[in-house]
Amino acid sequence: MRIRKIINLVKICVILWLILSVGIGAVSAEGPVWTAKPGWDVPSVGQAAKPAFADLDNDGDYDLLISERFGVSFGYENTGNATSPIWTAKPDWGVPCVGMGAKPAFADLDSDGDYDLMIGEGPSGISYAYENTGNSTSPIWTEKPGWNVPSVGRGAKPAFADLDSDGDYDLLVGEGPYGRTFGYENTGNASSPIWTAKPGWNLSSVGNGASPALADLDGDGDYDLLIGEGLSGVSFAYENTGSASSPHWTMNPSWEIPDVDKAAGPALADLDGDGDYDLLIGRFAGFSHGYENTGATPTATTVPVTTPTPKHEEEEETPTPTTALVPVMPWLIMIVVAIFLVYKRKDKKER
């Protein structure tokens, strides 16, 4: 009888360890600290600014495309450097009106070494694709209907990342009226994308006008998420407590950004060359405000890249997340002790 009880106790402990070790619902204590950085701000482009970063001239620093409410996207060259950006208007990189409520996102969708472009549009809810038919130092945006993403309703706002670690870009697309975010797996390949709905990656409503941005915010080798909201102006944070190949989005309020008025549109990049992600947030008044990450977070991608998978500089492969186990270890020990005491008390009564 005693041996059977001990075996049962061991089984319970093993099951608890397995559940807690994968980090289900547990968030990391590490992560960004957002500190306003007015020197990185971008002047108003009109209304409802939505910025997106990429190195558009291949000089090793991040440049900008900022869309606005009436569908035009404006280019800005970084005429500073990788540690101290200066945003200078670059009309040649701009994109004409796509409709209303444009939101851009960059990725190399045909594996030719330069950035291509996706722009979400408001009334149609379609994300329109543009192939870069120029080169890595001088982009030319050419419509590419074969890469378009079907309508999500209204107010499409795309964001790219490799969410299943298969070497190509996948998509999250926010929508307007209900504030939901929809996942799309690239079931084509790294040079010819096909967007297939992936409900397992969806996120429920944040309110209105969801605007997602993806980056590895805690340095554990998978993509985390910020979602800007339209009415409150708050950017809500979600830690990936799943893995690099199977994301699970868990809210992490400690990473959130305060209200920036309305129509928050976050974009993430390392703007000071210190190895972590900083932030630019567009708002309804048309300005984009800079935030330096003053936390101590080792982040996976430190320079503008065209490869989708985030990797640590010192590692060749993306590690399996383990940080979620640390904060729950004391609880695991307490549970095991409690179970042991219950069995001990029962054993005394039987005697």
Side-chain angles (χ1 to χ4, degrees):
M1 182 66 70
R2 184 177 297 176
I3 293 174
R4 184 179 298 174
K5 289 180 180 179
I6 292 171
I7 291 172
N8 289 336
L9 177 60
V10 171
K11 286 180 179 178
I12 292 170
C13 293
V14 170
I15 291 169
L16 285 169
W17 181 84
L18 287 172
I19 292 172
L20 294 171
S21 65
V22 297
I24 296 173
V27 295
S28 172
E30 297 181 344
V33 176
W34 309 115
T35 303
K37 186 79 171 183
W40 295 348
D41 289 358
V42 187
S44 177
V45 294
Q47 289 183 330
K50 296 290 186 293
F53 288 110
D55 184 8
L56 295 177
D57 51 8
N58 202 28
D59 64 350
D61 57 36
Y62 284 99
D63 306 298
L64 266 176
L65 200 66
I66 303 180
S67 66
E68 55 85 52
R69 184 183 183 187
F70 296 101
V72 177
S73 296
F74 300 93
Y76 289 83
E77 181 183 357
N78 181 355
T79 54
N81 54 48
T83 60
S84 183
I86 298 172
W87 311 117
T88 303
K90 185 79 170 181
D92 291 347
W93 295 349
V95 185
C97 178
V98 296
M100 290 281 289
K103 194 272 184 184
F106 288 107
D108 183 7
L109 295 177
D110 51 7
S111 294
D112 64 350
D114 56 36
Y115 284 98
D116 305 298
L117 177 64
M118 191 80 75
I119 300 182
E121 195 269 341
S124 71
I126 295 171
S127 293
Y128 293 98
Y130 293 80
E131 181 182 356
N132 182 354
T133 54
N135 53 49
S136 62
T137 61
S138 182
I140 298 172
W141 311 117
T142 303
E143 291 182 19
K144 186 78 171 183
W147 295 349
N148 288 357
V149 185
S151 176
V152 293
R154 291 172 62 89
K157 297 174 181 65
F160 287 108
D162 183 8
L163 295 176
D164 52 7
S165 292
D166 64 350
D168 57 35
Y169 284 98
D170 306 297
L171 264 176
L172 290 181
V173 182
E175 63 88 41
Y178 303 104
R180 297 167 298 183
T181 301
F182 299 97
Y184 290 85
E185 181 183 356
N186 181 354
T187 54
N189 53 49
S191 58
S192 183
I194 298 171
W195 311 115
T196 303
K198 185 79 170 182
W201 297 346
N202 291 358
L203 289 99
S204 57
S205 175
V206 294
N208 176 275
S211 184
L214 290 149
D216 183 9
L217 295 177
D218 53 4
D220 64 351
D222 57 35
Y223 284 99
D224 306 298
L225 178 63
L226 293 179
I227 301 181
E229 197 272 339
L231 297 179
S232 70
V234 174
S235 291
F236 297 96
Y238 294 82
E239 183 179 348
N240 182 355
T241 54
S243 67
S245 59
S246 183
H248 179 86
W249 311 116
T250 302
M251 289 195 75
N252 193 335
S254 67
W255 296 356
E256 288 178 5
I257 302 94
D259 176 8
V260 294
D261 182 18
K262 291 192 298 184
L268 293 154
D270 183 9
L271 297 178
D272 52 7
D274 65 350
D276 57 32
Y277 286 97
D278 306 298
L279 180 64
L280 203 64
I281 303 182
R283 67 185 182 101
F284 185 76
F287 297 93
S288 295
H289 296 287
Y291 290 81
E292 181 182 357
N293 182 354
T294 54
T297 306
T299 303
T301 306
T302 59
V303 294
V305 295
T306 53
T307 51
T309 305
K311 292 185 178 180
H312 293 284
E313 292 180 0
E314 71 276 8
E315 294 174 318
E316 294 182 356
E317 296 183 357
T318 302
T320 301
T322 57
T323 55
L325 178 60
V326 177
V328 297
M329 280 301 294
W331 293 102
L332 176 59
I333 294 169
M334 291 172 64
I335 292 168
V336 171
V337 170
I339 293 171
F340 174 77
L341 292 174
V342 168
Y343 272 109
K344 189 174 180 181
R345 182 176 295 178
K346 286 184 177 179
D347 189 54
K348 284 183 177 179
K349 287 181 178 180
E350 289 175 2
R351 288 182 179 181

